[in-house]
Amino acid sequence: CWFFFSITGESIRNKLDNIISNLIANAENQRKETMRQLSGTKEVTEDLVAKGTSFLEHTESQISVISNLEIIHLERECSKLLIKMSEDHLIHHVATPRFVGGEESTEKLQSMVGDFYSDLVSSLKMMSYVRIDSTLTACESDVFITKICRVSDTEAWVRGFKEDEIKMFNKRGKLLKTLPFKPTCHDFDTTKSGSLLTVDPKTCCVQCYGPDSEPSTLVEFTKGLLPISINVNKTTGNFLVGLVDSLKYSSSFLGTRLLKRFSYDGHEIQTIQYQTKKSFFGRLSSCSIFTYPHRIAENEQNGDIAVVNWTGDFTGELIVLNKDGEVIFRHQHNEEGETFSPWDVAFDVLGNVLVSDRYSRNIQMFKNSGSAKCVLFGCSITPHALESFNDGKLWIGHSNGKISVIQYME
């Protein structure tokens, strides 16, 4: 009997030793992979900046030789640099600078080259500072993070897919509190006072959960309008709600897909639904802007609105509008027509638009004009939820229940 238990105990001990060894090996491999990614990014960035600097120095030395051939040469050099950036998947959609026609002058040439170079460097500059600050475990490994909502610069609410509670974590991963949550709620956001606003297409309303009070209905929608997304402006207290008439994607003129803005006390202020287009023959017509406004973000500095607009089960687009609801730009697919599958969107303190793309597993960054895009961070696990913090940190919720906290601004 003693011999039997001895063998059993040894077997269990060996299994535990194997499990611990595997955990240590996996952690070390993950650390090496992370360091490799960051090192590679830094090397490519430094290489591009060095080439840009060399190009500008060459330009300055030749700037006195003003001729059409020189201008064409400079334009080609700019194009080569853009192609290199595109191949490295670091930045896209930077317009190739063109020398303005008319009277040739040193000032115009300097402006052309200088503006291009400054755009290039400012777009690449942040890449050098990207690093993983910490990793949090928020849910089980088979539950993906659907929402991260900032409470302060060190705390955020987190929700896993179809979970019946939301959890508040600090940036080091400590669970601070939990709150019961309806699985039918599609989205939520916090107010400046700490209350939670939720949208539920099942009940067709916006509800407010105060810190120490029972939930109250803030807005109730007429039958046929289903609220699916919400964003609260912490400065004004106003909030935007994404509404659809069906939980299926539709671009039909007969369908109802729109955004509504409300005051902090629930009074309707604005509706954003249509855009005007001019046909080939000069006729003006209206068409719906949205097919399924899954996530909303607002730039509290200038009122711009960013929307993740789903067009299919795994396809979508980024739409950025000004405060009046006029479309500034759309991004519908990646380079070479690759699928674009956005889940969440946020504005950072500089006004950049940040988007999580499930297909490429990247966090992409756009200037608010849409003129430039870069891959801010490449994820090894599919990213879903995003939240930007004022201290230059970005929380990324993944499909394995974990959250990466990255620092990308000095």
Side-chain angles (χ1 to χ4, degrees), residues 191-383:
T191 66
K192 190 175 181 178
S193 63
S195 298
L196 277 173
L197 298 190
T198 67
V199 288
D200 188 344
K202 186 175 181 179
T203 58
C204 297
C205 66
V206 177
Q207 286 198 311
C208 177
Y209 291 76
D212 302 305
S213 62
E214 290 295 315
S216 60
T217 299
L218 193 58
V219 180
E220 193 165 1
F221 297 100
T222 57
K223 190 175 181 180
L225 278 182
L226 311 176
I228 57 171
S229 52
I230 189 168
N231 176 264
V232 179
N233 186 312
K234 306 298 190 295
T235 303
T236 64
N238 298 340
F239 56 93
L240 285 160
V241 179
L243 295 153
V244 297
D245 59 355
S246 168
L247 297 181
K248 297 179 181 179
Y249 319 107
S250 172
S251 57
S252 168
F253 184 79
L254 299 175
T256 304
R257 312 283 155 138
L258 51 90
L259 302 184
K260 282 186 179 290
R261 189 190 300 273
F262 296 88
S263 62
Y264 68 93
D265 54 358
H267 289 90
E268 187 176 327
I269 299 173
Q270 181 186 18
T271 297
I272 303 171
Q273 184 173 7
Y274 299 110
Q275 65 176 335
T276 302
K277 286 188 175 182
K278 184 180 288 188
S279 69
F280 178 77
F281 300 102
R283 295 177 182 175
L284 298 178
S285 61
S286 294
C287 62
S288 181
I289 299 174
F290 310 107
T291 55
Y292 192 93
H294 171 67
R295 287 286 185 266
I296 312 168
E298 184 176 7
N299 185 339
E300 297 187 5
Q301 299 172 26
N302 62 10
D304 284 353
I305 304 164
V307 179
V308 166
N309 185 48
W310 281 359
T311 56
D313 290 335
F314 203 69
T315 59
E317 60 182 347
L318 168 67
I319 305 176
V320 176
L321 312 99
N322 63 22
K323 61 182 180 181
D324 297 319
E326 299 167 340
V327 176
I328 299 173
F329 77 91
R330 289 175 182 259
H331 178 75
Q332 298 174 317
H333 54 76
N334 295 322
E335 291 301 299
E336 300 176 356
E338 290 183 351
T339 299
F340 182 50
S341 183
W343 179 276
D344 206 355
V345 63
F347 283 97
D348 66 15
V349 291
L350 300 179
N352 298 308
V353 185
L354 309 171
V355 184
S356 58
D357 180 14
R358 294 173 293 170
Y359 182 82
S360 66
R361 292 187 177 182
N362 291 326
I363 305 302
Q364 301 179 4
M365 181 169 66
F366 296 79
K367 289 187 176 181
N368 53 10
S369 63
S371 60
K373 183 197 85 172
C374 74
V375 175
L376 177 66
F377 186 72
C379 304
S380 56
I381 304 295
T382 305

